[in-house]
Structures are given as structure tokens and as C-alpha cells.
């Protein structure tokens, strides 16, 4: 099977900034640059059999090979969830993870980082939030997006800037860590049963890595977590019982959280 490479191009009418951003993306991803030459992104992708990163004036976009819509960073649900939390309203994720100021959190499946932003808000500047993303292109888009997304909304901006994005597969990364390296290890490996929270979620599903929970993953997460391991899964998932997570049911939600205290 022919390998799908990644190339970088610009928007239709590139300026100096777009060209500079394209050069940066090429360097970060070890990818080659392809001039746009008035071609559509879809045509470039098909001609070169490639994933395409587009460096625009305001953001990077990622077209996975065969995808019709781009994946790009946007805080999505995190913005209104953080506003609710700041008002003192209940947030199911935070109720389950039970974070304290100064805690460290490892998010094994970062995605669009909405949960990681809530974690960063709660642990504060004294804490640490690391997010793993197995797909290098998705990791690049999310990392650059959180560093440059233009928002005056606080605390959203500070939360985005605080998260450390790491391009790594969860089990491999966990194996590099000592015991009790993080207070909380969080896993959200659901890609097969998608409940869209935003229009961009479908693009993420197509662009990201499809993973499933395994014995090894749970075992490594328990070893690395000092306080607890938290799982997000479809409410009918057998993982809660199989791995002895305490399932927190929510009557109106398609996804439930589970907790393993260690």
C-alpha cells in the first residue's frame, strides 16, 4: 500500500506571514512544501497522495487524506464549560477527577483539549497538565492553536497556554514514566461511537488515531497515577466492569465517567 505522506501548502493567495508559517510547519513536521499554484487542497492531496497542512493567515488547517473538511483548533465546548465553572456551577468531569490546586494531570487522549483546559483551570499555575496525541499532524494543529488562538476570554487563554502537548502514543509514553508520576491519569479512547459536541469533531475523528482500551494501557495508567485513573466511555461500555472502574451514571448523557482510585 502506498504510504500517505504529509505536505505543507499555503492559502490560495499567500502573503509573507503565510509563507513563514508554512516554513515553520515544514520544520516542525519534517514535511516538504508544495506551492499552491491555484490548485484546490483536495487536488493537491490527490495528486501527491498526501495529508495536507494549510498555513493560513489566522490558523493552520489539516486535511487528512480523503477528508472533505479540515481539522483546525477551536476551544469548542471548553469556552462555555469554563464559564459555568467560573460561576460556581457543577461540571461532571471536574466532579469525577477531584483535582486540587497544584495537581498534575496526564490526558492520554488530548483531542481538542476541552477536558485538559478544565483540568488546567482547576490545578492552577502551580499544577501541570500534559496532553498526549498519537497523530503528529493533530498534535501540531492543537499545540499551535492553543498557543496562538486569539481570545480575550479569561480564564480560557491562560488554560490553553498552560497545557503541554506531547506527540506520543499513550502506552509507549506511560512506559517511560516512573511510578506515581502524575496525580491523575485520564483516558478518553472513544472514537468509534461519536457523539458530536461540535462541527469540528467529525474532522478530528477522521484525522486522529483510532484507539481502544487494553489491559496494558489500564495497568500502566494505574502504575503512573498517584491518586486515581479516570475513564470516559460510552454509557454501555463493558470497560467499566471489566477494569473495575466505579461508573458515575448520568441519566441524560451518552458518555459516563469511571474512576479507579489507586
Amino acid at each position: 500500500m502506498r504510504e500517505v505522506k504529509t505536505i505543507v501548502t499555503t492559502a490560495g493567495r499567500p502573503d509573507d506571514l503565510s509563507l513563514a508559517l508554512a516554513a515553520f510547519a515544514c520544520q516542525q513536521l519534517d514535511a516538504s512544501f508544495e506551492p499552491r499554484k491555484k490548485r484546490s487542497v483536495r487536488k493537491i492531496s490527490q495528486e501527491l497522495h498526501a495529508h495536507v497542512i494549510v498555513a493560513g493567515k489566522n490558523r493552520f488547517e489539516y486535511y487528512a487524506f480523503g477528508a472533505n473538511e479540515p481539522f483546525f483548533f477551536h476551544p469548542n465546548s471548553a469556552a462555555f464549560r469554563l464559564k459555568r465553572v467560573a460561576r460556581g456551577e457543577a461540571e461532571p468531569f471536574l466532579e469525577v477527577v477531584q483535582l486540587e490546586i497544584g495537581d498534575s494531570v496526564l490526558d492520554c487522549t488530548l483531542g481538542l483539549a476541552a477536558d485538559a483546559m478544565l483540568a488546567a483551570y482547576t490545578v492552577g499555575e502551580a499544577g501541570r497538565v500534559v496532553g498526549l496525541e498519537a497523530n503528529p499532524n493533530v498534535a501540531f494543529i492543537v499545540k499551535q492553536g492553543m498557543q496562538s488562538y486569539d481570545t480575550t476570554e479569561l480564564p480560557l487563554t491562560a488554560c490553553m497556554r498552560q497545557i503541554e502537548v506531547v506527540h506520543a502514543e499513550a502506552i509507549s509514553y506511560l512506559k517511560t514514566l516512573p511510578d506515581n508520576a502524575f496525580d491523575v491519569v485520564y483516558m478518553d479512547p472513544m472514537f468509534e461511537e461519536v457523539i458530536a459536541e461540535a462541527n469540528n469533531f467529525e474532522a478530528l475523528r477522521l484525522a486522529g488515531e483510532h484507539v481502544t482500551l487494553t489491559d496494558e494501557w489500564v495497568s500502566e495508567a494505574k502504575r503512573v497515577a498517584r491518586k486515581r485513573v479516570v475513564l470516559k466511555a460510552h454509557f454501555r461500555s463493558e470497560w467499566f466492569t471489566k477494569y473495575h472502574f466505579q461508573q458515575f451514571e448520568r441519566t441524560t448523557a451518552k458518555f459516563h465517567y469511571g474512576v479507579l482510585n489507586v
Side-chain angles (χ1 to χ4, degrees):
M1 182 179 293
R2 185 181 175 188
E3 181 183 358
V4 181
K5 60 185 177 180
T6 295
I7 63 100
V8 178
T9 191
T10 61
R13 295 182 178 180
D15 56 10
D16 289 344
L17 176 59
S18 297
L19 290 168
L21 290 172
F24 173 75
C26 288
Q27 189 271 328
Q28 292 292 308
L29 294 166
D30 192 24
S32 59
F33 177 74
E34 179 69 22
R36 188 66 177 261
K37 296 179 180 177
K38 298 183 179 180
R39 293 171 294 175
S40 68
V41 174
R42 183 178 180 84
K43 186 173 183 180
I44 293 173
S45 179
Q46 291 174 338
E47 286 180 355
L48 300 179
H49 196 76
H51 305 304
V52 181
I53 300 284
V54 179
K57 296 178 182 179
N58 301 315
R59 68 187 185 194
F60 289 103
E61 295 184 344
Y62 170 39
Y63 290 80
F65 181 70
N68 293 318
E69 299 295 328
F71 170 68
F72 57 89
F73 175 77
H74 189 280
N76 287 318
S77 64
F80 64 80
R81 290 170 70 191
L82 274 169
K83 287 180 180 178
R84 291 204 306 250
V85 172
R87 291 196 299 263
E89 298 178 25
E91 162 55 46
F93 168 72
L94 293 179
E95 289 179 341
V96 171
V97 292
Q98 299 179 56
L99 295 171
E100 300 176 356
I101 294 175
D103 273 353
S104 57
V105 181
L106 177 64
D107 186 341
C108 291
T109 46
L110 184 63
L112 285 164
D115 291 330
M117 289 182 222
L118 288 167
Y121 174 78
T122 306
V123 303
E125 293 182 1
R128 184 187 184 202
V129 179
V130 176
L132 307 182
E133 174 52 55
N135 184 294
N137 295 334
V138 173
F140 173 79
I141 293 291
V142 175
K143 181 177 182 178
Q144 298 308 314
M146 287 198 295
Q147 290 300 315
S148 62
Y149 189 84
D150 184 16
T151 176
T152 57
E153 293 183 55
L154 293 173
L156 181 63
T157 302
C159 293
M160 288 192 294
R161 305 293 194 262
Q162 183 177 341
I163 298 165
E164 303 170 41
V165 181
V166 178
H167 163 224
E169 186 273 328
I171 297 174
S172 298
Y173 187 82
L174 286 164
K175 285 182 174 180
T176 69
L177 300 174
D179 294 354
N180 304 318
F182 284 85
D183 291 302
V184 175
V185 176
Y186 177 55
M187 307 180 294
D188 176 11
M190 294 303 297
F191 266 111
E192 299 308 325
E193 296 194 59
V194 174
I195 307 297
E197 294 181 356
N199 294 334
N200 200 24
F201 197 88
E202 178 66 11
L204 174 60
R205 187 184 70 82
L206 293 172
E209 300 295 319
H210 291 229
V211 294
T212 188
L213 201 62
T214 64
D215 295 355
E216 185 178 29
W217 191 354
V218 175
S219 176
E220 286 295 321
K222 289 166 64 177
R223 181 186 64 78
V224 169
R226 188 171 71 86
K227 293 181 178 180
R228 64 191 62 87
V229 179
V230 177
L231 170 69
K232 181 182 178 182
H234 193 272
F235 74 95
R236 295 197 192 98
S237 175
E238 298 177 353
W239 291 337
F240 295 112
T241 300
K242 180 178 180 180
Y243 295 112
H244 308 292
F245 282 87
Q246 179 186 358
Q247 184 174 354
F248 289 82
E249 298 184 358
R250 297 187 294 151
T251 55
T252 59
K254 297 291 185 180
F255 288 110
H256 288 174
Y257 295 103
V259 175
L260 268 176
N261 291 308
V262 295

